Amino acid sequence: HYTCARKPLSRLLEMFAIPAAAVACGYLPTKRLGLFENLPRDAAREWAFFSRQRDYFFSLPGYKERYRDFKTDILAVSFTDDEYSVEPAFSSLLNFFPRCKIEHVHLAPDRVGLKRVGHMGFFRAKNKEKLWNLVGNFLLGTTKDKGNKNIADSLG
């Protein structure tokens, strides 16, 4: 399910660079690269391992069954310019939650007035005003009250 524009580079990172850097440094120094907070060594190695699996962490014994019985509302937000979590892979991940009511919003950055969001951009404070209200509206259940068909309509 995992395909991305930079797949050969991603595979090298997952198989060699991430585990090696995590062991050498004692953590994965992703903050230096401007990506996200540094990851502890074991978390980085686990992330690299899961990234190589067809079903990500659902490849672990019992995980598919555990999540198959999970039931809640889920807001899933993906972006057209995410080179790692491409739409088919993202949608396939959602299939592991068959009892959940899922609202999947797949957005182009220009839909919310941004040039780029990418893989981690949703979590950056600079995108707070443009993106985070999606989650707030979902949690508060306010989008349906305003007559919106779906949560993406609350973007304006």
Side-chain angles (χ1 to χ4, degrees):
H1 297 304
Y2 180 74
T3 58
C4 80
R6 299 186 298 197
K7 187 172 181 175
L9 176 59
S10 296
R11 284 296 196 215
L12 285 174
L13 290 172
E14 293 161 0
M15 294 179 77
F16 303 108
I18 292 172
V23 169
C25 299
Y27 66 96
L28 186 63
T30 48
K31 194 169 187 175
R32 269 192 233 161
L33 302 172
L35 298 174
F36 44 84
E37 292 300 316
N38 294 330
L39 287 178
R41 181 195 68 210
D42 291 342
R45 292 172 68 200
E46 186 174 71
W47 172 47
F49 171 79
F50 288 143
S51 295
R52 294 188 307 265
Q53 307 307 307
R54 174 179 161 79
D55 292 331
Y56 201 60
F57 63 80
F58 292 104
S59 296
L60 293 175
Y63 271 52
K64 289 177 186 169
E65 296 76 18
R66 186 178 303 157
Y67 285 94
R68 183 178 53 231
D69 296 334
F70 187 66
K71 187 175 182 183
T72 192
D73 292 346
I74 294 176
L75 171 63
V77 182
S78 59
F79 297 92
T80 58
D81 69 335
D82 185 338
E83 64 275 6
Y84 295 102
S85 185
V86 294
E87 205 284 329
F90 195 91
S91 291
S92 118
L93 176 70
L94 298 177
N95 290 329
F96 290 106
F97 300 93
R99 298 188 66 207
C100 294
K101 180 182 173 196
I102 298 172
E103 183 146 8
H104 180 190
V105 179
H106 187 64
L107 293 172
D110 62 355
R111 166 87 190 272
V112 292
L114 296 170
K115 291 181 181 172
R116 175 152 172 70
V117 177
H119 190 60
M120 297 300 291
F122 180 89
F123 302 101
R124 298 195 189 286
K126 70 179 183 175
N127 294 330
K128 175 172 114 174
E129 298 297 320
K130 304 278 187 176
L131 298 173
W132 293 1
N133 63 327
L134 277 172
V135 176
N137 291 339
F138 177 79
L139 292 173
L140 295 171
T142 57
T143 58
K144 305 294 188 223
D145 299 339
K146 295 180 182 177
N148 294 319
K149 291 180 190 169
N150 63 57
I151 199 157
D153 294 339
S154 69
L155 291 170

